[in-house]
Amino acid sequence: MSLELDRVNIYYSLGRAELRAVSDVTLNVNRGESLGIIGETGSGKTTLVSSIVRTLPENARFEGRISLDGADIHSMPLKEFRKNISWSKISIIPQYSMNALNPVKKIGEQLGLIASEHTNWSTQEIAERIYNLFKELGLPPETYFKLPDELSGGQKQRVIIASALLLEPDVVIADEPTTALDVINQAKVISLIKRSVKERGKTMLYITHDIAVVAGITDKMVTMYAGKVMEYGSTRKMFREPLHPYTMLLINSVPDIRRGRVKKLSYIPGEPPDLIKREKGCSFAKRCPIARDICRLQEPELKNIDGRLVSCHFAEETVTLRQG
Amino acid sequence: MNAIRIPKILTTPQGIVGITVLVILVGSVVGGIFIVPKTNPYAENGMYVAAPFAVPAWASSLYGNLPPNIPLPSTVSLIEDKSPQVLSFWNARNISIDGDKVVFLWNSTLGPSGTSFTETASTYGNSGPGSIELIISGPNPINVSLYHIFNYTYDLPGDYNFFIMQSSIYFQQYNSTINYDGYLTNPKNQTFWMFTVGSAAPVNPLASSAFQYFGPNGWHYVLGDSASPIYSPWYYTSNLTPNETSFASSILLHSAFSSDGAYKVQYQIQYNPQSSNASAKVFLSDVFFKFLGSKYGLLGTDNNGASVYQEYVQGGEFDLILATLVGLMIVFVGAGTGLLGGYFGGKIDQVLVSITDFIFLFPALALYIVLISVFGQLLNLTSQIDRTILIGAIIIVFSWPATGRIIRGQTYAVSNQQFVEAAKALGESNLTVIRKHILNHIFPIIVVQIIFDVPAVIGVESTLDFLGLGITGFPTWGNMLGYAEHYVTSAPHYIWWWILPPGLALLILGIALFYFGESLLRLYGIQGGRLQ
Amino acid sequence: MTSFLSYALKRFIDRFILLIGLIVFNWLLLEGLPEAFGINPVVWIVPRELSHNVNAYATQIKTLTVLFGFNQPLYVQFVRYVYNTLTFHFGYDFLANEPVIVEIIHHLPYTLVLTIPPLIISTFLAIILGQIAALRRGSAVDNTLSNYFIIQYNIPGFFLSFILWVVLIVALKLGPISDASVLTSWNIVNVLKAYWLPWIIITLIFGFPVRGLLMRNTMVDILDSDFIRYERIAGVKEGIVRSHARQVSLIPVVTRTSIDLAFILGGIFVIEYVFGIPGMGYLLTEAAVKFDFPLLVGSFFVLTFYSLIVLYINDLIYPLIDPRLKKSLR
Ligand SMILES: Nc1ncnc2c1ncn2[C@@H]1O[C@H](COP(=O)(O)OP(=O)(O)OP(=O)(O)O)[C@@H](O)[C@H]1O
Ligand code: SF4
Ligand SMILES: [Mg+2]
């Protein structure tokens, strides 16, 4: 009972050139587990989850296999997927939540339409379900009769969360659900998601470039760079003892509030690589503080170290470094 | 962003097509300016290069073997007698009979001037020094003829062909009188009497109504034509029944040109001595006959036999110049106010918005019609130039706000960007900021506005001209179509050669400029073309 | 509801100010400016033919000067003019010698019959074609339609009217040369005979390409927009998704159409001229050619007044068409 991604590659064609947005990603999330996907902007997070819900743009090309509870959901007919998988099994809180609602239709009508597409509930039942969710998420009941423009950003975000939970799906994907919100609302929405999604025992994929967020709400996490998995493993372990220089740098850049002191807030100097060019070696080499000659020549393999997968030539060394 | 680099436009297909079409179109106008005469085709001196509604020469074979123009002589130097060869062209020969003596000479100093000649594209007069001189002496009456024979091997003339026969004459008489007649003789040997003038009443009493008295010692111009036979003696001698007389010119044409063969054009001097020592001197110039044909040049002729190509070229020249000037002015004023409004906001901005709101209220064409009538009357504008200025001014006054609004929006967007704020913070003066940062950014938009405004101006102006409410006195593409509209129901072949060139030119110009402008917009990544 | 009323009132005041502006503008044209130029405006409303008879002309001028009050102070004249205009009294048409408003009422129906059906047809056509192009974005169908719209937009209306008239009416004799000749009575056969081609032409030239392209471009944007993407992921049926996209794309098109409706009476000069339809455009053109100033300014006022009213009605309807605007009412 799980969501599995097996050697997923995704390419975008740009006229004559082709860009590899996701390279060889293999992940697996068990029922009830939550996975954080972390990476800088452009690292392919949205592309990856779009392939799960099958909304890749027209110029994208997909390779690999995605299965839910063993069933290949990427090669089944799109119509069937939309009818049986979308929303009832997997729902998404998209990155563009602020604009995800039809501007000229009432909120209740929109959610109702989605529900009636997948179920044979009566209008009554649907409305009740919506009201209950609204209540749970702290939305006033009038929201049902409002137009999106009449809601605040935080309210819209909650409506979208409600929509994602509408049909009690097994998997909920949240793609940077808080980027468009102010700090206070961000915190509220995050705790809301934690409460309403995680605590309901749903499988969750939480995408963000803000590594601090994942710490509190996910069991596993994966750091992505240039479309590749850098490190993949238990959230706790990765926070306590990151093995990959990229993960380390990401964590370094986090103010550690729990310990009562603020670590130096450093960002990672340099730019992500051009995904069109295929370069030899480790894709992080240009920005890696401990890169050596071999890094530029040979691409590191994913190694299983300490129950984690790490893509770095010197992963073992970083372990010994720490221990030493 | 940098200043506009036109060559880059050549990277987009629309740009290439747009520019190519534009170059060809403008070329057809500009090239024509060097070829066509400067005369105004709407004034008499530009009319009758050929018969009315002559078809373009290149297309004439579709309509049979149409007669071309047949001018005698065919070169201007001969027509105006400025070359002694004219003597042999008209078969002038010295004669000595019964004591009379006729001598032909070439006189290079005396020539016609000051006659009451009206100039068309097919008439010549007052051509200055140079003439044929005849010296006649002797006691007996004698008729001296100049003639030329030409072959007519085409379809018989249609409704609109006609011919003219003209000349200038000056004579001195000593105990004699001089009469001067013109004849056309057809292959069936029928002779048509085209004019009779001179110092003695004509011998044929029927012709006396058409006779014109010309006194000695002065230049006179005489014209006989088949367009107005009432002035030709043939009308009075041909025994037309009363109900035929109103078609007399057509009857003259069709009975004269009723078969293929050799036609003879004859100019005859009648010398009538009154004593034995009589003599006379006659000077002839501008001796010219022309059959106006049904095929002509590149684009045929209009209802007045004026060259349509000449109208097309002159009309295009006018339209393009006017539209460019007016377009520039619109953008100049519009961009100026738009920049100020967008940059400073506040009062200027409000005023700009209110003016636009008010102007958008009017149906544009109705407004132009009303204003042109009222101001034309108020300022008592009669000359076409004044009218042009009025029309241009009105279009500018009521068109700049639209451009102003667009520029205002763009300026507003640019001036809120960081680098502008930064420049201001660095203490650069407003003028410098506008010049260095804002103008730089919106320059492409200004260029595109001009490109869009040119066809818009031409469209409006042409519509006014088409309705007969704009320019009427000289050709524009709009009024060419407007005049054609009056004749299309009666003229042959729906006068396609007159309608299509200005119409297609307007159409192509609009489309080409539109695509050109759009591709510029795309090139500079500016959102929202004209249609949005 | 109260918010709507206050909005309606606010827009009414805005439009009323424009109306006053319009009246002042007309007054300036007809009376203010001539007087500023030292011309007694009466000379404009006395039939020109009278000027051959010096005495009659002088008497006429004198009577009319007093009658219209041109010998009174300017502000009195102005107030009188405003009053007359608001009661639709524009003076006498000196050619037909009838009150101008009678002439206008006589000619207006020809124009309404000419313009309203094409406006409706072209709107539907634009929506349908725009939608087809948008749904097949980038295809040959889309390219053809988009370029057709652009070309149609750039064909000078008078040229198209003229050329179609020449080909279909003059050459192929598919209708009367002058529509006035068959429009002597309003029976359906005559109306169809006279109007079929003008209707087609107005359908094509009046705002149609703009609306079509607007529909296409808006719908392309909307189909790409986040809410449509969201509906698709959420498993809403494609048919319903498209109908939602259409619904939202329609808003700017409907707005545009209602603006076109306001100015449609101004777009008819050429077509009435070419086809000989005795409507408002014909009336105004004739008035201009004959310098019949009361008729000229009177019909101009009616055309503009009509736009003003339609624009105001638009103001009131927009919030109903676009629910998003309701928010801005508050
Ligand atoms: N439709 C597309 N066509 C071509 N390239 C695309 C397309 N969509 C995304 N990309 C490219 O693919 C790469 C991955 O993009 P993606 O949106 O998946 O990143 P992301 O990790 O979600 O970033 P962010 O944090 O900004 O959301 C980027 O380089 C992006 O420019
Ligand atoms: S492989 Fe080399 S470059 Fe890449 S992360 Fe490890 S140390 Fe850095
Ligand atoms: Mg993303």
Side-chain angles (χ1 to χ4, degrees):
Chain A
M1 296 296 254
S2 60
L3 176 69
E4 280 168 51
L5 277 69
D6 190 11
R7 267 166 294 147
V8 168
N9 282 288
I10 300 167
Y11 308 85
Y12 286 117
S13 77
L14 298 164
R16 250 166 275 150
E18 201 172 49
L19 172 161
R20 193 175 184 186
V22 171
S23 306
D24 263 333
V25 172
T26 301
L27 298 171
N28 124 46
V29 201
N30 293 321
R31 171 166 289 236
E33 245 179 13
S34 58
L35 170 73
I37 303 178
I38 302 101
E40 292 174 301
T41 179
S43 55
K45 308 180 296 288
T46 300
T47 306
L48 185 66
V49 295
S50 299
S51 72
I52 302 175
V53 290
R54 301 187 60 176
T55 54
L56 284 172
E58 275 168 28
N59 63 337
R61 185 163 63 81
F62 176 89
E63 280 171 7
R65 184 185 145 96
I66 299 176
S67 57
L68 182 68
D69 299 340
D72 186 343
I73 56 169
H74 206 278
S75 54
M76 68 166 57
L78 185 63
K79 241 191 175 154
E80 194 189 324
F81 177 84
R82 288 266 178 271
K83 179 121 190 55
N84 301 331
I85 309 289
S86 277
W87 243 247
S88 46
K89 294 265 171 62
I90 304 177
S91 70
I92 184 166
I93 301 165
Q95 195 168 6
Y96 49 84
S97 290
M98 286 307 110
N99 305 315
L101 292 163
N102 187 331
V104 301
K105 289 234 173 319
K106 296 195 179 96
I107 302 293
E109 220 178 303
Q110 300 191 39
L111 297 194
L113 177 67
I114 294 173
S116 64
E117 284 285 341
H118 299 278
T119 64
N120 41 18
W121 300 345
S122 69
T123 334
Q124 179 77 29
E125 285 168 326
I126 293 174
E128 240 164 63
R129 168 107 190 104
I130 294 173
Y131 279 123
N132 285 340
L133 275 170
F134 280 1
K135 203 162 132 206
E136 188 181 329
L137 294 170
L139 283 166
E142 311 87 87
T143 313
Y144 191 98
F145 296 103
K146 286 199 168 160
L147 291 167
D149 277 4
E150 296 170 302
L151 301 181
S152 72
Q155 285 175 322
K156 275 190 240 180
Q157 187 61 269
R158 282 158 213 246
V159 169
I160 295 297
I161 295 172
S163 165
L165 297 173
L166 192 57
L167 305 180
E168 293 287 354
D170 301 332
V171 182
V172 175
I173 301 172
D175 187 358
E176 307 204 33
T178 61
T179 26
L181 301 176
D182 58 78
V183 185
I184 296 173
N185 263 309
Q186 277 185 9
K188 277 191 192 162
V189 167
I190 288 167
S191 68
L192 201 63
I193 289 179
K194 188 174 177 185
R195 211 167 7 100
S196 56
V197 182
K198 194 166 185 285
E199 287 169 12
R200 268 172 203 239
K202 307 236 173 282
T203 310
M204 178 169 78
L205 262 59
Y206 194 99
I207 288 114
T208 179
H209 52 251
D210 185 357
I211 199 166
V213 173
V214 255
I217 59 174
T218 64
D219 310 320
K220 293 201 285 189
M221 71 182 212
V222 54
T223 49
M224 280 182 74
Y225 185 78
K228 291 181 190 135
V229 171
M230 296 289 115
E231 187 171 353
Y232 172 37
S234 126
T235 306
R236 195 173 310 153
K237 277 191 189 169
M238 275 172 72
F239 260 92
R240 199 175 330 122
E241 193 185 44
L243 294 179
H244 194 285
Y246 180 60
T247 316
M248 282 180 220
L249 283 163
L250 284 173
I251 292 172
N252 249 334
S253 66
V254 175
D256 188 350
I257 302 165
R258 279 175 304 172
R259 296 204 182 145
R261 62 193 147 95
V262 178
K263 278 193 198 168
K264 204 179 101 212
L265 218 159
S266 67
Y267 80 108
I268 310 170
E271 301 259 315
D274 186 344
L275 297 173
I276 298 175
K277 289 187 204 135
R278 298 218 174 153
E279 280 167 5
K280 280 193 292 189
C282 173
S283 39
F284 191 56
K286 280 213 185 92
R287 297 165 72 192
C288 182
I290 60 168
R292 289 181 224 166
D293 288 346
I294 184 169
C295 303
R296 286 173 204 96
L297 296 171
Q298 197 185 328
E299 192 177 345
E301 309 242 303
L302 267 181
K303 279 175 279 191
N304 192 330
I305 301 168
D306 184 23
R308 283 180 263 171
L309 292 174
V310 190
S311 156
C312 174
H313 290 302
F314 305 107
E316 289 95 339
E317 283 179 44
T318 55
V319 178
T320 43
L321 252 168
R322 279 164 189 279
Q323 286 162 349
Chain B
M1 225 188 269
N2 33 27
I4 211 142
R5 273 165 294 149
I6 294 292
K8 232 177 120 186
I9 194 78
L10 290 173
T11 54
T12 64
Q14 282 104 328
I16 297 172
V17 175
I19 290 183
T20 316
V21 172
L22 215 59
V23 166
I24 294 173
L25 184 73
V26 174
S28 76
V29 171
V30 174
I33 294 174
F34 298 103
I35 304 169
V36 303
K38 291 273 169 277
T39 50
N40 177 356
Y42 290 177
E44 257 179 292
N45 63 0
M47 295 176 184
Y48 302 113
V49 294
F53 308 123
V55 304
W58 53 268
S60 63
S61 56
L62 294 175
Y63 304 108
N65 183 14
L66 292 179
N69 278 339
I70 308 175
L72 307 178
S74 58
T75 65
V76 175
S77 68
L78 281 178
I79 296 160
E80 294 185 337
D81 286 355
K82 303 320 169 208
S83 153
Q85 285 160 347
V86 75
L87 289 170
S88 63
F89 183 88
W90 288 109
N91 294 298
R93 243 167 268 130
N94 295 347
I95 312 170
S96 300
I97 295 180
D98 295 343
D100 281 354
K101 202 171 157 209
V102 179
V103 180
F104 282 95
L105 295 171
W106 171 248
N107 187 316
S108 59
T109 50
L110 197 63
S113 62
T115 66
S116 60
F117 143 83
T118 35
E119 188 186 352
T120 72
S122 290
T123 52
Y124 298 88
N126 295 338
S127 53
S131 54
I132 303 169
E133 181 176 346
L134 273 90
I135 303 166
I136 312 175
S137 57
N140 298 316
I142 185 172
N143 293 343
V144 183
S145 279
L146 296 174
Y147 70 91
H148 191 94
I149 292 170
F150 70 91
N151 257 320
Y152 186 90
T153 54
Y154 314 96
D155 294 348
L156 296 177
D159 294 340
Y160 298 100
N161 297 93
F162 65 98
F163 57 89
I164 61 160
M165 189 169 175
Q166 68 145 57
S167 121
S168 297
I169 180 168
Y170 177 107
F171 58 89
Q172 294 166 332
Q173 51 192 28
Y174 306 100
N175 300 326
S176 61
T177 60
I178 292 294
N179 275 20
Y180 186 37
D181 290 3
Y183 303 100
L184 175 70
T185 307
N186 70 12
K188 296 175 181 158
N189 227 355
Q190 296 163 314
T191 295
F192 299 83
W193 196 352
M194 294 307 297
F195 65 81
T196 176
V197 297
S199 60
V203 192
N204 184 342
L206 284 175
S208 59
S209 318
F211 172 74
Q212 261 181 294
Y213 174 80
F214 281 0
N217 301 320
W219 279 101
H220 301 280
Y221 174 78
V222 58
L223 171 75
D225 64 44
S226 75
S228 51
I230 189 139
Y231 296 113
S232 88
W234 168 84
Y235 179 79
Y236 301 96
T237 55
S238 60
N239 301 320
L240 290 179
T241 62
N243 57 8
E244 281 175 330
T245 54
S246 45
F247 307 104
S249 48
S250 162
I251 294 173
L252 166 58
L253 176 74
H254 293 111
S255 28
F257 285 84
S258 54
S259 67
D260 279 8
Y263 285 74
K264 181 174 167 192
V265 177
Q266 187 180 0
Y267 290 85
Q268 190 181 66
I269 309 279
Q270 294 162 13
Y271 166 73
N272 268 306
Q274 268 121 35
S275 70
S276 55
N277 62 347
S279 68
K281 250 189 194 176
V282 179
F283 301 89
L284 296 177
S285 185
D286 304 331
V287 180
F288 180 56
F289 172 93
K290 182 172 181 183
F291 176 89
L292 284 87
S294 309
K295 57 178 180 181
Y296 178 80
L298 199 56
L299 296 178
T301 63
D302 70 3
N303 62 309
N304 290 317
S307 161
V308 172
Y309 183 61
Q310 190 177 342
E311 292 171 1
Y312 168 82
V313 168
Q314 293 184 0
E317 184 186 4
F318 171 80
D319 280 357
L320 291 174
I321 291 177
L322 180 81
T324 310
L325 290 181
V326 170
L328 281 173
M329 280 306 290
I330 292 173
V331 173
F332 180 74
V333 181
T337 24
L339 264 175
L340 294 181
Y343 184 74
F344 291 109
K347 275 261 156 53
I348 305 177
D349 205 25
Q350 275 171 19
V351 170
L352 182 67
V353 172
S354 325
I355 293 179
T356 355
D357 272 351
F358 187 61
I359 285 175
F360 282 155
L361 183 66
F362 297 107
L365 201 56
L367 178 72
Y368 293 152
I369 292 175
V370 169
L371 287 177
I372 289 167
S373 312
V374 169
F375 278 93
Q377 194 75 356
L378 265 183
L379 306 171
N380 204 5
L381 301 182
T382 39
S383 88
Q384 292 290 323
I385 303 290
D386 290 346
R387 229 180 140 71
T388 310
I389 295 173
L390 173 68
I391 294 172
I394 290 176
I395 296 180
I396 293 170
V397 167
F398 289 92
S399 304
W400 69 262
T403 303
R405 260 204 171 172
I406 293 171
I407 303 285
R408 165 183 168 266
Q410 298 284 349
T411 308
Y412 184 76
V414 174
S415 39
N416 283 339
Q417 273 174 21
Q418 236 159 25
F419 62 88
V420 175
E421 301 290 341
K424 278 196 217 165
L426 284 175
E428 286 188 30
S429 75
N430 283 328
L431 199 70
T432 327
V433 174
I434 292 185
R435 210 187 32 177
K436 263 173 57 187
H437 303 290
I438 299 193
L439 210 54
N440 241 356
H441 259 79
I442 62 169
F443 189 67
I445 302 164
I446 294 182
V447 173
V448 172
Q449 276 303 314
I450 297 174
I451 291 170
F452 283 149
D453 279 339
V454 165
V457 172
I458 292 190
V460 169
E461 205 276 328
S462 303
T463 307
L464 289 168
D465 289 352
F466 177 76
L467 293 172
L469 300 170
I471 311 275
T472 50
F474 54 83
T476 67
W477 285 344
N479 69 25
M480 283 174 76
L481 287 165
Y483 286 127
E485 203 258 3
H486 298 311
Y487 295 98
V488 70
T489 47
S490 56
H493 319 305
Y494 309 109
I495 41 178
W496 56 265
W497 56 89
W498 185 5
I499 295 172
L500 291 182
L504 292 180
L506 284 169
L507 182 122
I508 290 169
L509 185 73
I511 295 173
L513 282 175
F514 185 90
Y515 278 114
F516 181 40
E518 282 283 304
S519 52
L520 272 185
L521 281 182
R522 209 161 303 160
L523 199 64
Y524 284 89
I526 302 161
Q527 285 294 307
R530 170 139 286 206
L531 288 186
Q532 267 122 70
Chain C
M1 207 56 216
T2 49
S3 69
F4 182 76
L5 278 184
S6 75
Y7 162 80
L9 189 68
K10 197 176 145 288
R11 295 308 290 161
F12 181 79
I13 293 169
D14 287 353
R15 295 297 181 195
F16 191 75
I17 291 171
L18 283 180
L19 176 66
I20 298 297
L22 169 66
I23 295 176
V24 173
F25 184 75
N26 280 356
W27 176 77
L28 276 177
L29 283 184
L30 205 58
E31 299 181 8
L33 278 176
E35 295 200 34
F37 276 76
I39 299 168
N40 183 348
V42 163
V43 299
W44 285 11
I45 54 179
V46 174
R48 224 143 285 261
E49 296 79 69
L50 268 184
S51 62
H52 300 306
N53 182 338
V54 180
N55 281 336
Y57 186 68
T59 340
Q60 184 79 325
I61 295 254
K62 217 177 274 165
T63 0
L64 284 177
T65 305
V66 177
L67 184 70
F68 284 99
F70 289 131
N71 50 355
Q72 291 176 357
L74 271 185
Y75 69 89
V76 178
Q77 294 183 29
F78 178 69
V79 171
R80 197 210 64 244
Y81 183 84
V82 172
Y83 176 77
N84 282 347
T85 307
L86 290 178
T87 52
F88 294 102
H89 193 286
F90 308 113
Y92 288 87
D93 157 24
F94 60 68
L95 295 174
N97 205 9
E98 274 187 277
V100 163
I101 189 67
V102 173
E103 280 284 287
I104 292 174
I105 287 173
H106 174 71
H107 286 85
L108 194 58
Y110 294 98
T111 297
L112 291 178
V113 173
L114 174 65
T115 49
I116 301 302
L119 186 76
I120 296 167
I121 300 169
S122 67
T123 305
F124 279 105
L125 210 58
I127 290 170
I128 293 168
L129 293 181
Q131 186 190 336
I132 290 176
L135 287 175
R136 298 189 192 157
R137 168 169 33 154
S139 71
V141 175
D142 176 29
N143 275 335
T144 314
L145 281 171
S146 300
N147 283 299
Y148 162 70
F149 285 137
I150 288 176
I151 290 169
Q152 176 69 67
Y153 173 78
N154 282 292
I155 298 178
F158 73 93
F159 177 60
L160 188 73
S161 314
F162 181 36
I163 206 86
L164 288 181
W165 177 74
V166 171
V167 174
L168 298 175
I169 303 295
V170 179
L172 301 177
K173 304 193 172 47
L174 297 177
I177 296 272
S178 167
D179 286 347
S181 62
V182 296
L183 287 177
T184 43
S185 75
W186 286 112
N187 80 55
I188 185 82
V189 178
N190 286 352
V191 168
L192 285 178
K193 237 193 242 168
Y195 277 111
W196 73 270
L197 185 54
W199 276 339
I200 292 178
I201 294 174
I202 295 196
T203 300
L204 295 181
I205 64 177
F206 194 78
F208 166 63
V210 176
R211 274 175 261 147
L213 219 48
L214 190 64
M215 180 70 193
R216 183 227 169 242
N217 292 347
T218 319
M219 192 147 163
V220 161
D221 287 349
I222 298 285
L223 282 173
D224 261 357
S225 71
D226 291 333
F227 82 86
I228 290 295
R229 195 140 46 111
Y230 186 72
E231 285 188 353
R232 286 202 174 123
I233 315 181
V236 177
K237 277 194 213 74
E238 186 60 21
I240 299 179
V241 172
R242 284 183 183 185
S243 87
H244 286 176
R246 184 190 320 120
Q247 210 174 354
V248 178
S249 315
L250 273 179
I251 293 171
V253 179
V254 171
T255 311
R256 175 75 207 200
T257 305
S258 58
I259 292 175
D260 284 347
L261 179 69
F263 294 105
I264 194 162
L265 292 187
I268 47 176
F269 295 92
V270 167
I271 206 129
E272 292 192 356
Y273 178 81
V274 170
F275 284 88
I277 297 169
M280 289 297 289
Y282 167 87
L283 191 66
L284 203 133
T285 314
E286 280 290 284
V289 170
K290 296 186 174 137
F291 298 107
D292 190 338
F293 284 98
L295 187 56
L296 187 66
V297 178
S299 23
F300 178 63
F301 177 79
V302 170
L303 288 182
T304 320
F305 185 64
Y306 164 84
S307 323
L308 199 59
I309 291 179
V310 176
L311 288 178
Y312 182 60
I313 296 175
N314 288 351
D315 289 343
L316 300 186
I317 294 178
Y318 285 161
L320 303 180
I321 302 173
D322 188 349
R324 283 169 293 187
L325 287 178
K326 266 192 212 144
K327 201 172 107 190
S328 60
L329 292 187
R330 304 218 174 102

